[in-house]
Structures are given as structure tokens and as C-alpha cells.
Amino acid sequence: MLLRNLDSPKLCNGTRLCVSKLTDNVIQTTILTGNIKGDSVFILYIPLIPSDMPFEFKHLHFPVRLAFAIAINKAQEKYLKVAGINLETPCFSHCQLYVLCSRVGTPRNIYMCAPNGDTKNVVYLRKL
């Protein structure tokens, strides 16, 4: 999964990729989601320069992470064949559970893990 916006709208944060070739300086990937699904792209090292340190240094890294799962907010505008939801800790927004459940085509393909068969839906009231 891509962690940074590199070339919007082609390579955005949350884009799922399949690694085709891995070298020391470049990762060759195929895009798995979106309008350009199937396109081959190259991911290069990008510099990370922290600004909150008393000294300057530059760290190079690939802006990708191995992803066996996606967070609820990354599931927006994505469609899933099967989804597993871990509700051991409550959702922190009242729309999150709805968003994830609405991404799966049929309720038979939604698997939930909840202690005692229930979960707390946390909703914070807005002060006017």
C-alpha cells in the first residue's frame, strides 16, 4: 500500500499495489485499484527530512507498506469481495462501521469479531 501522494490522481495515499520486481533503488509495481488498474509504475526512494530535530539529517525510504489489511478510512471508495472486521475496540466514529459494511456486496461476506457479540458505537456530541 502506498503511504504518500506521489503523482495525484495516479499514485495517491492508500493505492494498493502488487510488487513485480524489487531492486535496491526502485520497486516495480502494478496498480491494483482505480481507473488505471493494471498499469505498471516505478516507486523510487523519497527523502524524509525531519524539521523538529535540533540537527538536520535526511533519511531515504520507499513510501510503501506491506498491507494484509486496510483501515476503515482506507476502505472508502473501495469495493471488497470479503471483509473481516475486528470490533474488539470500538469504532471511533458513527459512520465508520457503516462505511466498511457498505463496501461489501453481500452481508454473507462480512465477518465480524466482537467480544460478547456486541460493540460500542462511540459518537461525540458537537457543542454549539
Side-chain angles (χ1 to χ4, degrees):
M1 180 181 292
L2 192 61
L3 299 176
R4 297 263 173 109
N5 292 330
L6 296 181
D7 183 18
S8 206
K10 190 175 186 177
L11 291 173
C12 295
N13 180 14
T15 301
R16 290 182 286 170
L17 307 163
C18 178
V19 175
S20 307
K21 187 175 182 181
L22 184 62
T23 66
D24 291 337
N25 300 317
V26 177
I27 301 176
Q28 182 179 354
T29 64
T30 303
I31 298 175
L32 297 176
T33 57
N35 296 338
I36 52 173
K37 180 178 175 180
D39 281 8
S40 184
V41 293
F42 295 94
I43 308 293
L44 305 172
Y45 272 127
I46 63 169
L48 176 66
I49 305 169
S51 59
D52 60 345
M53 302 294 277
F55 51 89
E56 284 189 24
F57 70 93
K58 181 167 66 171
H59 172 73
L60 294 173
H61 72 283
F62 288 115
V64 294
R65 172 171 285 166
L66 183 61
F68 293 105
I70 58 176
I72 291 173
N73 61 341
K74 298 274 188 195
Q76 292 182 1
E77 299 184 20
K78 307 233 185 316
Y79 294 96
L80 309 169
K81 292 180 182 175
V82 177
I85 306 166
N86 183 354
L87 295 173
E88 290 179 28
T89 58
C91 291
F92 62 85
S93 174
H94 67 282
C95 291
Q96 284 190 317
L97 189 56
Y98 166 77
V99 166
L100 190 61
C101 290
S102 68
R103 300 294 110 196
V104 182
T106 176
R108 287 178 292 185
N109 293 341
I110 300 173
Y111 299 91
M112 294 188 187
C113 173
N116 303 323
D118 63 349
T119 188
K120 185 176 180 182
N121 191 14
V122 179
V123 178
Y124 295 104
L125 297 176
R126 205 173 83 185
K127 292 182 181 180
L128 298 176

